[in-house]
Amino acid sequence: MSEKPRDTALVVFTPSGKRGHFPLGTPLLQAARSLGVDVDSVCGGRAICGRCQVVVSEGEFAKHGIRSGADHVSGVTRAELRYAEKRGLAPGRRLSCQALLQGDVVVDVPPESQVHKQLVRKRPEVRDIALDPVTRLYYVEVEPPSMHRQSGDLERLYEALDRQWNLSELYTDLRTLQHLQKALREGDWKVTVAVYHGHIRSRNRIIAIWPGYHDKIYGVAFDIGSTTIAAHLCDLQTGDVIASAGLMNPQIRFGEDLMSRVSYVMLNPGGDREMTAAVREAVNALIGQVAAEARIDMNEIMEAVFVGNPIMHHLLLGIDPTELGGAPFALATSGSKTLWASEADLTMHPDARVYVLPCIAGHVGADAAAVILSEGPHLQDENWLIVDVGTNAEIILGNRHRLLACSSPTGPAFEGAQITSGQRAAPGAIERVRIDRETLAPRYRIIGSDLWSDEDGFEEAAARTGVTGICGSGIIEAVAEMFLAGIINSDGMIDGAMADRSPFVQADGRTFSYVLRTGEPEIRITQTDVRQIQLAKAALYAGARLLMDRLGLETVDRITLAGAFGSHIDVTYAMVLGMIPDCPLEKVSSAGNAAGTGARIALLNNRARREIEQVVQRIEKIETAVEPRFQEHFVAAMALPHKTAPYTNLARAITLPAPGTRGGERGGHQERRRRRRGARV
Amino acid sequence: MSEKPRDTALVVFTPSGKRGHFPLGTPLLQAARSLGVDVDSVCGGRAICGRCQVVVSEGEFAKHGIRSGADHVSGVTRAELRYAEKRGLAPGRRLSCQALLQGDVVVDVPPESQVHKQLVRKRPEVRDIALDPVTRLYYVEVEPPSMHRQSGDLERLYEALDRQWNLSELYTDLRTLQHLQKALREGDWKVTVAVYHGHIRSRNRIIAIWPGYHDKIYGVAFDIGSTTIAAHLCDLQTGDVIASAGLMNPQIRFGEDLMSRVSYVMLNPGGDREMTAAVREAVNALIGQVAAEARIDMNEIMEAVFVGNPIMHHLLLGIDPTELGGAPFALATSGSKTLWASEADLTMHPDARVYVLPCIAGHVGADAAAVILSEGPHLQDENWLIVDVGTNAEIILGNRHRLLACSSPTGPAFEGAQITSGQRAAPGAIERVRIDRETLAPRYRIIGSDLWSDEDGFEEAAARTGVTGICGSGIIEAVAEMFLAGIINSDGMIDGAMADRSPFVQADGRTFSYVLRTGEPEIRITQTDVRQIQLAKAALYAGARLLMDRLGLETVDRITLAGAFGSHIDVTYAMVLGMIPDCPLEKVSSAGNAAGTGARIALLNNRARREIEQVVQRIEKIETAVEPRFQEHFVAAMALPHKTAPYTNLARAITLPAPGTRGGERGGHQERRRRRRGARV
């Protein structure tokens, strides 16, 4: 270090490592900006927003050849004190817009001061996402008009945004223009604008204006399912989910499943408009709920993102879904769609931008696109199979080089429908089943209780809800356990000889049933139920297999089960049944509500929108209905299990718990945790 | 010419002179396109639209070294015959999409077959405008969906537009997307789309779709005046005006002039919304009128362009005009604005694009911008003064290098208001005045009759309307003639001594009046009236003079008077009064409804929109109220005339007609012609 007085000093920013020399007196924020260091600011250096906080490191930094210290920047300013009083400032923190360079310093930018802060996700196998908001707030001071300089208020606002924020090529929504003059004067020529950074980053559109300083801006991510609609309200400046809510899809009154809703439209002219109105009404109810829960003004919601299957996607947008009801299942569009909230009659800020993710194919929706965005199969090298099971299974397979998608007609058996004692996953439904290999006696657990049916207190606990039926995960475990116990053979036939050995196997007309529970209601698994599960799992397997054929694969490297079903079933049993192809068991996992996560990613990250649009375009779409090999695979996959090798391995993998203990169930604990975290989703 | 058989031939297109060799069998349309020859086509070469007609020239073309003849192209096709039967095809005309090259040819492209056909204007001093429509129709055949190729209908439409029309970077309005699937199927995968070629030419937005072939598309140009609103319905494919209509501005019920309307808003909260609703209602009434007159479907109106003064501009857009009511007269925006018809509640196609020209300054509106677009002062070298007189005079001065604008507070005297016997220009109003230099006896003419008051049959003709008052052009001629006859001196005082010489000069309290007509009502010009005209003309002159000062000019090279007032007054009298600066008389002319013409140009020519936006930005805006020299000029300009030289010249220029003849009035004939052409505008 030189002894003679200098007029510049070295600044090193951590963690980026970016460094440069600046004149003494330069605000740290300005130094950061000229170096391209990511430091947030809404107020533009006026000590109002407090987003530009940094820590000046203390000590010798041999690596940089400097000694750094708090005394190498100017003292705390009055503006900073005002901020600290009003909103608090942690010890050691400085507002980088106020701290002026006085000597060499190492300056740490904490994560929360970064615009593109990482949104850390809880599952280690998926990537984190950086916050990269599409709509941002900018506080700006506008030159007042004068008789000597005739120009429009809007044009002076543009000039100020260009000068103070380096934003050019600006456009403005008409509604904002209508409020502009009043806001400027109410705010004494200081306003905050929300700028939507549309498709092309350089195209900037002012979509809202507030007088003075304003720092609240929110977005909502929606997952429109056929059965339920879920909403997550996010703070667009932190990325945090601040409220969530869910509702039954009111379209159910027009038809329980998707095809019956399309039929409703075909039979009732204008039926699509009724259903569009119904889903938008539900969305608005959810907006009201989350806004009330978070105590925010609905007018501060400036963004919404929607995902859903193709029929939900079309109905939300006001597009008649009739074409999706029959071959060739033509989508109106397979592109993403951006619209104003007012165009979809949504009760948020009328100029809020609504982004709808692209559908992939006639049966593979924007929800599947969102699953891809959440999981990122297109970013890695393994052959990754992702399955989202509903009435149809949406199946994705591939890696960074190729990505394939198809939909397979599993039918509703996996959701507990069309099963003798079947029901939706709800308190009272049997969700776990074990069968004693000797006595063939069943043990089970119901949703709403942690106790197995042979544990003390089970009946008391079950009395609250009753034992009402068996849900999707329950029926899968029941069939798999029946198979492992030898009650059904690999053709899926219930072995009548077992009826002699155990009272739980009973004749049932010409075939046999397995009785899980006697009493009212009696819960049994019939031969037909086993067939339904065989058909469903064969369809699922055949779809996956078809995609594997295309890639020339015999096994896959990784399997992820997405959606509510995926998070409830025990993947081991899914493999026992041959629902999914061969894969190392430790590489099979559940992604939970990946579609909802994908919607949230698209809400918070602009680049993610471009990413999924590009990925969807290059996905190879396979239509199972016209692939002859699908039928072959389907027929071959009816057997239980279709191969010996995985069966043997898997049978070993299943550790039967000792009666009365709760250990050993991979699925059970995970699922309880998940249900507690996001019960309404 | 070679004797051996060739496989290519030479095509020369006239009038462009573009030429090239093409393989035999090439359709002429295709040859034209590859050479960049401007040949229209909506159907894309399917012999449906008939827009690509050409004439194959006959004979030796020494210049090109070829012999051309109809037999050098293939014979008339069945499709061509079908077209000729249905829609007619003039002799010698071929559809260039059907005629295939068989030998060397010279092919003439008639003007109506060009997309960018010239819109020839009647005034020789202004440029013609080429048609360059912002919204165009494209007929396209779309690949149907198939199970083997999963893609959205919209994406297949995009592909077809790219392949068949070379249109890429396409976007689509939501409403079009909602109608897309039905239109495609109704049209058996043949549709016509309207594509809006927005701001940047390469950004193409589908804003409407029709099943099959559709070739009707219209636009409306609106001029929103404080008093009247005028609409011109144009065929966007030919540029022709096919219907015009005008209405009184219903905002008059809120206030006669602009300032009283702004006061209404200030005094009545929500008053701006009432006035916005009123003007939009009138616009919709006009749309209904012109659509009915032209027998077209309002849904085929895909464009609208608006011009108007700043207050009308703001109210149309739903912007509170309060700020325009007081210094510093801040515009909400001085930029152009594009919106959906639905955003302004206009009853045309809801996705029609509405383009509003930019205002120039707080007192210089989009109407003045339209005048500039019509006249083109920014395209030439002369120092051109353009004046649009209303309650304020909007004054423009400059050339291709510099352009200045200001507004000058002339008051309403030029419109006949605040004048003793004044009235609006309407049948029965005196519009021309001559005073006998000896007897001081008046002769005059009224609107609605071609006879002078001393001609036989005048009283009979006048009996139809009565002689009801004197309008703006009449009062100007009256004051100028009074001055030329020596009744008023250069200070504007009516010379009482004249009362002794002539019964037409009479004492009137402390001052004197000139009696134009006795009877009921008596029509006289009072001393106060002369003062009003002096004030108005001084304001007008001072504004012009201020701009001249800025450019260092003593005289201007050319003067154009725009607007209704400009087309009614005799420019010679305007110079006698010293309303306008010195300029060779033959370079002073009237532009008629230049604002309306400018609106029509913006409607029909995309580049014109960019042009005026750029010009408006670089106009130097002068605010007369803060320029001390304005007051000086104003005071100096009160005299009649302010200088001797032009007075002498001009007095000679005025040829008094012999009694009973109709010759010699420059203004009169022009004005009658104009009134007949566009009576309601």
Side-chain angles (χ1 to χ4, degrees):
Chain A
M1 273 183 288
S2 143
E3 289 301 302
K4 55 184 179 184
R6 297 179 315 166
D7 48 8
T8 66
L10 174 65
V11 192
V12 181
F13 287 96
T14 55
S16 66
K18 288 180 177 165
R19 51 191 287 155
H21 285 87
F22 293 91
L24 299 183
T26 304
L28 294 182
L29 178 60
Q30 190 185 313
R33 288 212 169 158
S34 15
L35 293 172
V37 174
D38 181 15
V39 180
D40 199 1
S41 173
V42 169
C43 71
R46 296 178 183 84
I48 303 173
C49 70
R51 292 183 180 276
C52 68
Q53 296 181 25
V54 295
V55 176
V56 177
S57 303
E58 296 279 345
E60 288 288 343
F61 290 82
K63 184 176 157 197
H64 308 299
I66 57 174
R67 192 184 71 74
S68 173
D71 55 332
H72 288 198
V73 298
S74 61
V76 172
T77 65
R78 203 171 300 173
E80 227 170 338
L81 280 176
R82 253 199 316 274
Y83 175 84
E85 255 170 49
K86 231 167 142 178
R87 314 237 241 145
L89 198 57
R93 288 288 178 96
R94 290 295 305 274
L95 299 184
S96 62
C97 63
Q98 298 296 306
L100 312 180
L101 195 59
Q102 308 280 33
D104 298 337
V105 278
V106 173
V107 177
D108 188 54
V109 183
E112 63 274 24
S113 294
Q114 298 168 12
V115 178
H116 298 102
K117 37 189 152 292
Q118 292 291 316
L119 304 170
V120 181
R121 296 168 68 189
K122 287 165 194 140
R123 290 165 50 225
E125 74 272 24
V126 291
R127 60 180 171 158
D128 290 336
I129 295 287
L131 189 61
D132 174 27
V134 185
T135 300
R136 293 188 59 189
L137 295 178
Y138 299 91
Y139 175 78
V140 68
E141 296 184 3
V142 180
E143 187 196 330
S146 94
M147 298 282 274
H148 295 277
R149 222 192 123 213
Q150 300 254 338
S151 67
D153 283 348
L154 181 65
E155 284 68 27
R156 268 175 283 102
L157 172 61
Y158 284 174
E159 276 171 27
L161 283 166
D162 190 3
R163 209 169 41 242
Q164 294 165 44
W165 290 104
N166 206 20
L167 289 174
S168 55
E169 268 205 78
L170 286 150
Y171 296 82
T172 302
D173 284 349
L174 178 61
R175 277 179 286 249
T176 301
L177 183 59
Q178 290 166 343
H179 295 121
L180 174 76
Q181 294 197 300
K182 204 156 173 237
L184 283 168
R185 284 156 185 84
E186 267 184 39
D188 194 22
W189 303 97
K190 297 170 194 68
V191 290
T192 305
V193 292
V195 178
Y196 170 78
H197 295 288
H199 268 252
I200 300 146
R201 198 70 205 214
S202 62
R203 204 164 187 272
N204 305 313
R205 196 155 182 113
I206 301 178
I207 62 175
I209 187 164
W210 294 269
Y213 176 72
H214 182 94
D215 71 349
K216 292 184 183 67
I217 181 167
Y218 304 96
V220 194
F222 290 94
D223 180 3
I224 313 277
S226 323
T227 310
T228 55
I229 304 179
H232 300 285
L233 178 69
C234 296
D235 183 325
L236 292 185
Q237 300 198 103
T238 63
D240 296 337
V241 176
I242 55 172
S244 295
L247 267 185
M248 292 299 279
N249 188 331
Q251 292 177 343
I252 289 174
R253 70 172 183 269
F254 303 102
E256 185 77 10
D257 58 50
L258 286 172
M259 282 308 133
S260 58
R261 291 187 210 165
V262 176
S263 305
Y264 181 83
V265 173
M266 291 172 167
L267 298 172
N268 300 278
D272 55 322
R273 285 193 296 277
E274 285 179 77
M275 277 196 273
T276 294
V279 69
R280 290 177 178 177
E281 212 172 280
V283 165
N284 284 336
L286 284 173
I287 294 170
Q289 275 186 38
V290 290
E293 190 183 323
R295 292 163 193 248
I296 67 154
D297 180 350
M298 286 196 281
N299 248 309
E300 290 169 337
I301 302 177
M302 297 304 307
E303 290 244 22
V305 164
F306 285 88
V307 304
N309 63 54
I311 291 173
M312 291 304 108
H313 168 279
H314 279 43
L315 285 171
L316 174 76
L317 287 175
I319 302 169
D320 183 333
T322 300
E323 293 304 324
L324 297 170
F329 310 105
L331 291 164
T333 178
S334 55
S336 69
K337 194 73 202 151
T338 300
L339 49 147
W340 274 326
S342 59
E343 282 183 272
D345 306 322
L346 301 183
T347 53
M348 46 184 78
H349 191 292
D351 287 334
R353 288 307 194 274
V354 173
Y355 178 78
V356 186
L357 266 74
C359 289
I360 298 172
H363 284 133
V364 190
D367 45 358
V371 168
I372 292 173
L373 193 52
S374 166
E375 301 302 298
H378 57 292
L379 300 171
Q380 50 86 59
D381 292 304
E382 288 183 314
N383 291 306
W384 189 349
L385 178 73
I386 302 177
V387 177
D388 194 350
V389 177
T391 303
N392 287 313
E394 297 179 340
I395 305 170
I396 293 144
L397 175 64
N399 51 40
R400 73 170 80 248
H401 307 294
R402 284 181 77 182
L403 206 56
L404 281 62
C406 73
S407 165
S408 194
T410 49
F414 287 154
E415 294 179 312
Q418 296 176 14
I419 295 292
T420 310
S421 304
Q423 69 158 97
R424 283 225 182 88
I430 292 176
E431 56 165 350
R432 300 269 163 259
V433 175
R434 297 290 178 273
I435 297 176
D436 189 281
R437 303 288 182 263
E438 296 305 315
T439 64
L440 307 187
R443 302 163 58 231
Y444 52 84
R445 235 175 48 197
I446 60 168
I447 297 178
S449 166
D450 281 348
L451 298 172
W452 285 91
S453 56
D454 59 352
E455 291 180 295
D456 289 346
F458 173 83
E459 288 300 332
E460 292 73 11
R464 286 201 301 273
T465 56
V467 179
T468 49
I470 186 163
C471 70
S473 60
I475 186 88
I476 283 169
E477 293 198 4
V479 174
E481 284 279 321
M482 284 162 75
F483 176 59
L484 292 171
I487 299 169
I488 51 181
N489 64 18
S490 65
D491 286 340
M493 288 303 295
I494 300 179
D495 185 356
M498 292 290 191
D500 302 335
R501 226 181 86 190
S502 160
F504 299 101
V505 180
Q506 296 179 0
D508 190 4
R510 288 175 167 197
T511 56
F512 291 85
S513 288
Y514 178 74
V515 179
L516 258 177
R517 179 180 169 94
T518 52
E520 194 47 51
E522 185 195 61
I523 296 171
R524 58 167 66 210
I525 311 294
T526 67
Q527 182 64 59
T528 312
D529 296 341
V530 177
R531 278 277 173 271
Q532 291 293 336
I533 292 298
Q534 277 180 287
L535 287 166
K537 75 103 186 175
L540 178 54
Y541 182 85
R545 191 62 232 192
L546 194 65
L547 300 190
M548 290 165 71
D549 284 356
R550 282 290 179 104
L551 291 182
L553 301 176
E554 278 301 315
T555 59
V556 296
D557 301 328
R558 171 189 292 275
I559 296 178
T560 295
L561 302 174
F565 174 81
S567 46
H568 281 82
I569 66 166
D570 183 328
V571 295
T572 318
Y573 286 104
M575 295 201 88
V576 167
L577 278 186
M579 279 172 67
I580 49 179
D582 290 359
C583 177
L585 192 59
E586 70 277 12
K587 298 300 272 296
V588 183
S589 63
S590 152
N593 179 15
T597 303
R600 207 154 58 79
I601 291 171
L603 178 66
L604 298 173
N605 189 292
N606 204 0
R607 278 186 293 268
R609 299 186 186 181
R610 303 298 84 76
E611 179 184 324
I612 192 59
E613 288 161 11
Q614 284 159 15
V615 170
V616 163
Q617 273 183 26
R618 65 182 182 82
I619 287 177
E620 300 166 46
K621 292 100 186 169
I622 314 294
E623 175 55 56
T624 52
V626 292
E627 294 282 340
R629 296 212 59 182
F630 179 77
Q631 279 309 316
E632 289 171 34
H633 287 309
F634 180 77
V635 171
M638 283 290 287
L640 291 172
H642 68 293
K643 275 188 186 171
T644 318
Y647 161 62
T648 318
N649 294 334
L650 285 166
R652 275 200 296 270
I654 295 174
T655 332
L656 287 172
T661 71
R662 292 182 196 174
E665 281 86 56
R666 281 181 75 255
H669 284 288
Q670 282 189 357
E671 172 235 323
R672 276 199 304 279
R673 262 204 316 277
R674 240 173 247 122
R675 252 186 301 160
R676 272 198 297 274
R677 277 211 307 269
R680 285 185 292 185
V681 180
Chain B
M1 271 181 290
S2 145
E3 290 300 305
K4 56 184 179 185
R6 299 178 315 166
D7 49 7
T8 66
L10 174 66
V11 192
V12 181
F13 286 97
T14 57
S16 67
K18 287 179 177 165
R19 51 191 287 156
H21 285 88
F22 292 90
L24 300 183
T26 304
L28 293 182
L29 177 62
Q30 191 185 315
R33 289 209 167 159
S34 14
L35 291 172
V37 174
D38 180 14
V39 180
D40 199 0
S41 173
V42 168
C43 71
R46 296 179 183 86
I48 302 173
C49 69
R51 291 181 181 277
C52 67
Q53 295 181 25
V54 294
V55 176
V56 177
S57 304
E58 295 280 344
E60 289 288 343
F61 290 82
K63 184 177 158 197
H64 307 300
I66 56 173
R67 193 185 71 75
S68 172
D71 55 332
H72 288 199
V73 298
S74 61
V76 172
T77 64
R78 205 172 299 176
E80 227 170 340
L81 281 176
R82 254 198 315 274
Y83 176 82
E85 254 170 50
K86 233 166 141 179
R87 314 238 241 147
L89 200 55
R93 289 288 178 93
R94 291 295 305 273
L95 299 184
S96 63
C97 63
Q98 298 296 307
L100 311 181
L101 194 60
Q102 308 281 32
D104 297 338
V105 279
V106 174
V107 178
D108 188 56
V109 182
E112 64 272 24
S113 294
Q114 299 168 12
V115 178
H116 299 101
K117 40 189 151 288
Q118 291 292 314
L119 303 171
V120 181
R121 295 169 67 189
K122 287 165 193 140
R123 290 165 50 228
E125 74 272 23
V126 292
R127 61 180 169 155
D128 291 335
I129 294 287
L131 188 62
D132 174 28
V134 185
T135 301
R136 293 187 58 188
L137 296 178
Y138 298 90
Y139 175 77
V140 67
E141 296 183 3
V142 180
E143 187 196 332
S146 92
M147 299 283 274
H148 295 276
R149 222 192 124 214
Q150 300 254 339
S151 68
D153 283 347
L154 181 65
E155 284 68 27
R156 269 175 282 104
L157 172 62
Y158 285 173
E159 277 171 26
L161 283 166
D162 190 2
R163 209 169 41 241
Q164 294 165 44
W165 290 103
N166 207 20
L167 290 173
S168 56
E169 269 206 76
L170 286 151
Y171 296 83
T172 302
D173 283 350
L174 179 61
R175 277 178 286 249
T176 300
L177 183 59
Q178 289 166 343
H179 294 123
L180 174 77
Q181 296 197 299
K182 205 157 170 234
L184 283 168
R185 284 155 185 83
E186 268 184 37
D188 194 22
W189 303 97
K190 296 170 195 70
V191 290
T192 305
V193 293
V195 178
Y196 170 78
H197 295 288
H199 269 253
I200 300 145
R201 197 71 206 214
S202 62
R203 205 163 187 274
N204 304 315
R205 198 157 181 111
I206 302 176
I207 62 175
I209 187 165
W210 294 269
Y213 176 72
H214 182 92
D215 71 350
K216 293 185 183 65
I217 180 167
Y218 304 97
V220 196
F222 290 94
D223 181 3
I224 313 277
S226 322
T227 310
T228 55
I229 304 178
H232 300 285
L233 178 69
C234 296
D235 183 325
L236 292 185
Q237 300 199 100
T238 63
D240 297 337
V241 175
I242 54 172
S244 294
L247 267 184
M248 292 300 279
N249 188 331
Q251 292 177 343
I252 289 174
R253 71 172 182 266
F254 302 101
E256 185 77 10
D257 59 51
L258 286 173
M259 281 309 132
S260 58
R261 291 187 209 164
V262 176
S263 305
Y264 181 84
V265 173
M266 291 170 163
L267 299 171
N268 301 278
D272 56 321
R273 285 193 296 277
E274 284 179 77
M275 277 196 272
T276 293
V279 68
R280 290 176 178 178
E281 212 171 281
V283 165
N284 285 336
L286 284 173
I287 295 170
Q289 275 186 38
V290 291
E293 190 183 322
R295 292 161 194 248
I296 67 153
D297 180 350
M298 287 196 282
N299 249 309
E300 290 169 338
I301 302 177
M302 297 305 307
E303 291 244 22
V305 165
F306 286 87
V307 305
N309 62 55
I311 291 173
M312 291 304 107
H313 168 278
H314 279 44
L315 285 171
L316 174 77
L317 287 175
I319 302 169
D320 183 333
T322 300
E323 293 306 324
L324 297 170
F329 310 105
L331 290 165
T333 178
S334 54
S336 69
K337 194 73 201 150
T338 301
L339 48 145
W340 275 324
S342 59
E343 282 184 273
D345 305 321
L346 301 184
T347 52
M348 46 184 79
H349 191 291
D351 286 335
R353 287 308 194 275
V354 173
Y355 178 79
V356 185
L357 265 76
C359 290
I360 298 172
H363 284 135
V364 190
D367 46 359
V371 168
I372 292 174
L373 194 52
S374 167
E375 301 303 298
H378 57 293
L379 300 172
Q380 49 85 58
D381 292 305
E382 290 183 313
N383 290 306
W384 189 349
L385 178 72
I386 303 176
V387 176
D388 194 350
V389 177
T391 303
N392 288 313
E394 297 179 340
I395 306 171
I396 293 145
L397 174 64
N399 51 39
R400 73 171 79 246
H401 307 294
R402 283 181 76 183
L403 206 57
L404 281 64
C406 74
S407 164
S408 194
T410 49
F414 287 153
E415 294 179 314
Q418 295 176 15
I419 296 293
T420 310
S421 304
Q423 69 158 92
R424 281 224 184 90
I430 292 176
E431 57 165 350
R432 300 270 163 259
V433 175
R434 297 291 178 274
I435 297 176
D436 188 281
R437 304 287 183 264
E438 295 306 315
T439 64
L440 305 188
R443 301 163 60 230
Y444 52 83
R445 235 175 49 195
I446 60 169
I447 297 178
S449 165
D450 281 350
L451 298 171
W452 285 90
S453 56
D454 57 352
E455 289 182 296
D456 288 346
F458 174 82
E459 289 300 332
E460 292 74 12
R464 285 200 302 273
T465 56
V467 179
T468 49
I470 185 162
C471 70
S473 60
I475 184 87
I476 283 168
E477 293 198 4
V479 173
E481 283 279 322
M482 285 162 75
F483 175 59
L484 291 173
I487 299 168
I488 51 179
N489 64 17
S490 64
D491 285 342
M493 289 300 294
I494 300 179
D495 185 355
M498 291 292 190
D500 303 335
R501 226 181 86 189
S502 160
F504 298 100
V505 179
Q506 298 177 358
D508 190 5
R510 289 176 165 194
T511 56
F512 292 84
S513 288
Y514 178 74
V515 179
L516 258 178
R517 179 181 169 93
T518 52
E520 193 51 49
E522 185 195 62
I523 295 171
R524 58 168 64 211
I525 311 294
T526 69
Q527 183 62 60
T528 313
D529 295 342
V530 176
R531 280 277 174 273
Q532 291 295 334
I533 292 297
Q534 278 180 286
L535 288 167
K537 75 104 188 175
L540 178 53
Y541 181 85
R545 192 61 231 193
L546 195 65
L547 300 191
M548 290 165 71
D549 284 356
R550 283 290 179 102
L551 291 182
L553 301 177
E554 278 300 316
T555 59
V556 297
D557 301 327
R558 171 189 293 275
I559 297 178
T560 295
L561 303 174
F565 174 79
S567 46
H568 281 83
I569 67 165
D570 184 328
V571 294
T572 318
Y573 286 104
M575 294 201 89
V576 167
L577 279 185
M579 280 172 66
I580 50 179
D582 290 359
C583 177
L585 192 58
E586 70 277 11
K587 299 298 272 295
V588 183
S589 63
S590 151
N593 178 16
T597 303
R600 207 153 57 78
I601 290 171
L603 179 66
L604 298 174
N605 189 292
N606 204 359
R607 279 185 293 267
R609 299 186 186 180
R610 303 298 84 77
E611 179 185 325
I612 193 59
E613 288 161 10
Q614 285 159 13
V615 170
V616 163
Q617 273 184 24
R618 65 182 182 84
I619 287 178
E620 300 166 46
K621 292 101 186 168
I622 314 294
E623 175 54 56
T624 53
V626 292
E627 295 281 341
R629 296 214 59 184
F630 180 77
Q631 279 307 318
E632 290 172 34
H633 287 309
F634 180 76
V635 171
M638 283 290 286
L640 290 172
H642 69 293
K643 274 187 187 173
T644 318
Y647 161 61
T648 319
N649 294 334
L650 286 167
R652 273 202 297 271
I654 294 175
T655 331
L656 286 171
T661 71
R662 292 179 196 174
E665 280 84 59
R666 280 180 77 258
H669 283 290
Q670 283 189 358
E671 170 236 324
R672 276 198 303 279
R673 260 205 317 278
R674 240 172 245 119
R675 252 185 301 159
R676 273 198 298 273
R677 278 213 304 269
R680 284 184 293 185
V681 181

